[in-house]
Amino acid sequence: MTERCNAGGPTIDRRGLLGGAAALGGMTLLPGGLRAAEAAPKKGGTLRISMPYNPASVDPMTGRNLPDFNVLYMVFDALIDFEPKTLKLKPGLAKSWTWKDAKTLVLDLVDGVEFHDGTPFNAEAVKFNLDRYKNDKRSNIKADLGSVANVEVTGKDQVTLHLSSANAGLTAILTNRIGCMVSPASVKKAANGNVDRTPVGTGPFKFVSWEDNAGFTLVRNDKYWKSGLPYLDGIKIHIINELNTCARTVLAHESDIALNMLTQQKQVADKVKGIVTTASPSMIFYGAFLNYGVAPFNDVKVRQALNYAIDRDELNRVLVDGLGEPSSAILPKESWACDLSTANYYKYDPDKAKKLLAEAGHGGGIEIPTWGWPDQSSMQRQELMLSQVAKSGIRLKITPATPGQAMQNFMIEKRGAMLISPTGGYPDPSQQYEVLFAKTALRNAAKTELPGFRELMDATETAQSEEARKAAFAKLQHYVVVEQALNLVWYFGPLVNIMSPNVRGFEDGLLGTPKFDEVWLAA
């Protein structure tokens, strides 16, 4: 089989993406990407961004949370790019790619690209990065390269990936962390190869500084390989953990855009004349990670009981004004790989939850040590969940910690049985399952794979047609949601951003990972 691609792959599209704008209750203006057509983009200016999350790292290999990409895609280009609204693949640092057969992927690279430190981007750099991501002991993304046996340099600007098993989703996965190319020279220069705080990529902006929980400074890459881009002179990011305060910086004209907001902030901003608010569909789901390697979640009946103890409709209505999508699955209904028959398998049923707990030996109820986030919106989510599950005899002992620390405590140090946290989507659905349930995946606190998972997972990657992959994903989804109840999904939340009307060319997408190379300021 030989297949040459300049772009392609399955697409994910939520119907009525913009057609439902009226139902969003006050989108003041159309999103920046549409308004940009009104005038030609102009160069200059520094974009002031406010966002509520301080990254754990700005090395693609060691980061942990979705908001990391607010900075990562400024500094780094990926080997393969994608359309934000559909996830359709398009060329990135790899100008084209070819499947020689099901286990051989050839990437032809853009020639003449330089890293920010002046060193060349080439096939050797790609091999260095992929080998590092796969083998470095600090890597959190080894699972993404689990099917890659080795990377071969087959030309100055060509690499060949030899797979140990077929992985039809690999090209989409190369748009994510493992596709982000770090300067090999910067890694070799750094103590112990640690570039967590000193990122050097080929992206549209160069990293200048990062002050923890305060902000980032970035400047234009004047040698960017995409002609004419970026438009901005630079970007100044302010980290403001309290969401309402973060949103108010735009209302007070202290910043140009507030990222990663929630519907509560949108409600306030909608009332302010001249402020742009957007609420678009996403693959980001809210819920909880379960450590099914320890009690009480090593018993599937307890995991199923927890799923029945949740009223997803109420959570969606109260927390996001009904703008989300209640679900039991880790893929939204509009994903080509989502099986609708199990997407809403668990209906709110406290009595059934109690019965399952009793069958598991917890007739008197159960207490679950849980990590949560300390911000106001997270506390509201946690309190509502706590009150819901209490009706089924489930008591949550919630300890608040910052997102990065909560991840460290639960995923790495394996303390507690549950972490209440949103998590993002991925370009290919196989990656979504891999990063949550693979044995070596960061987000699998149990660090084990239950019997049957790997066979079902492999089937989604070896199938070559979308139809065959869809059938394989249906079986995997049934296993994860119904048979094993491996995690707890509440709903898919809307992506909310608040901005000045002067911000043009901004476009968020299903993954919630905006890029800024085509953003410009009208005044």
Side-chain angles (χ1 to χ4, degrees), residues 56-64 68 132 138-140 177 196:
S57 164
V58 284
D59 179 352
M61 182 184 79
T62 55
R64 301 168 191 166
D68 296 352
R132 176 174 179 254
R138 298 180 65 240
S139 176
N140 289 330
R177 289 183 182 270
D196 287 2

Side-chain angles (χ1 to χ4, degrees), residues 160-215:
T160 299
L161 279 59
H162 299 283
L163 280 57
S164 56
S165 59
N167 183 354
L170 183 58
T171 48
I173 295 172
L174 287 170
T175 68
N176 210 252
R177 289 183 182 270
I178 64 167
C180 291
M181 294 291 101
V182 180
S183 162
S186 71
V187 175
K188 294 172 184 176
K189 180 181 177 181
N192 300 314
N194 188 328
V195 292
D196 287 2
R197 304 184 64 83
T198 53
V200 179
T202 65
F205 298 95
K206 294 182 179 182
F207 171 84
V208 176
S209 63
W210 173 15
E211 185 178 350
D212 261 335
N213 292 301

Side-chain angles (χ1 to χ4, degrees), residues 58-75:
V58 284
D59 179 352
M61 182 184 79
T62 55
R64 301 168 191 166
N65 295 316
L66 182 70
D68 296 352
F69 280 98
N70 292 340
V71 178
L72 290 180
Y73 280 149
M74 295 177 183
V75 178

Side-chain angles (χ1 to χ4, degrees), residues 222-241:
D222 289 324
K223 296 182 178 180
Y224 193 44
W225 58 281
K226 293 183 181 179
S227 179
L229 297 176
Y231 297 122
L232 297 167
D233 288 335
I235 296 176
K236 187 75 174 179
I237 300 175
H238 302 281
I239 308 294
I240 303 174
N241 298 124

Side-chain angles (χ1 to χ4, degrees), residues 181-452:
M181 294 291 101
V182 180
S183 162
S186 71
V187 175
K188 294 172 184 176
K189 180 181 177 181
N192 300 314
N194 188 328
V195 292
D196 287 2
R197 304 184 64 83
T198 53
V200 179
T202 65
F205 298 95
K206 294 182 179 182
F207 171 84
V208 176
S209 63
W210 173 15
E211 185 178 350
D212 261 335
N213 292 301
F216 289 81
T217 300
L218 303 101
V219 297
R220 175 198 284 140
N221 176 10
D222 289 324
K223 296 182 178 180
Y224 193 44
W225 58 281
K226 293 183 181 179
S227 179
L229 297 176
Y231 297 122
L232 297 167
D233 288 335
I235 296 176
K236 187 75 174 179
I237 300 175
H238 302 281
I239 308 294
I240 303 174
N241 298 124
E242 207 284 310
L243 271 70
N244 290 328
T245 303
C246 191
R248 280 197 293 269
T249 64
V250 179
L251 309 186
H253 309 292
E254 296 168 353
S255 63
D256 302 302
I257 183 169
L259 302 175
N260 307 125
M261 296 291 98
L262 298 176
T263 52
Q264 292 91 331
Q265 289 76 51
K266 180 182 181 300
Q267 290 170 345
V268 175
D270 280 340
K271 300 174 184 177
V272 180
K273 185 178 180 180
I275 295 297
V276 179
T277 64
T278 63
S280 56
S282 84
M283 294 182 68
I284 300 171
F285 64 83
Y286 288 76
F289 300 101
L290 312 180
N291 186 344
Y292 45 84
V294 300
F297 290 132
N298 56 354
D299 189 324
V300 65
K301 290 186 177 181
V302 176
R303 302 194 297 268
Q304 291 170 335
L306 181 62
N307 271 276
Y308 281 115
I310 293 295
D311 186 341
R312 292 167 174 82
D313 290 331
E314 182 183 42
L315 289 167
N316 179 49
R317 183 176 66 255
V318 173
L319 299 176
V320 292
D321 288 345
L323 295 176
E325 179 185 300
S327 182
S328 306
I330 65 171
L331 297 171
K333 294 177 182 177
E334 291 73 19
S335 168
W336 63 272
C338 180
D339 176 31
L340 297 181
S341 69
T342 56
N344 293 103
Y345 178 80
Y346 292 101
K347 306 300 182 184
Y348 180 50
D349 192 338
D351 291 335
K352 192 162 189 174
K354 289 179 182 178
K355 182 175 182 294
L356 284 166
L357 287 177
E359 292 174 1
H362 303 288
I366 192 171
E367 182 175 273
I368 299 173
T370 303
W371 294 101
W373 294 359
D375 64 275
Q376 183 178 358
S377 296
S378 296
M379 294 294 286
Q380 182 187 13
R381 291 194 297 267
Q382 291 154 192
E383 288 169 2
L384 183 53
M385 178 187 174
L386 189 150
S387 67
Q388 286 185 354
V389 301
K391 297 172 184 176
S392 299
I394 299 173
R395 301 179 298 277
L396 302 184
K397 184 179 180 182
I398 301 177
T399 302
T402 62
Q405 190 59 55
M407 289 282 284
Q408 173 75 24
N409 296 343
F410 183 72
M411 302 297 186
I412 298 175
E413 298 179 12
K414 301 179 182 179
R415 292 190 281 145
M418 180 165 68
L419 167 62
I420 301 174
S421 167
T423 193
Y426 293 86
D428 189 80
S430 66
Q431 191 180 15
Q432 183 86 319
Y433 284 95
E434 195 77 38
V435 301
L436 290 173
F437 310 119
K439 184 176 181 179
T440 60
L442 170 67
R443 285 168 171 76
N444 180 356
K447 296 298 183 284
T448 186
E449 292 179 7
L450 298 185

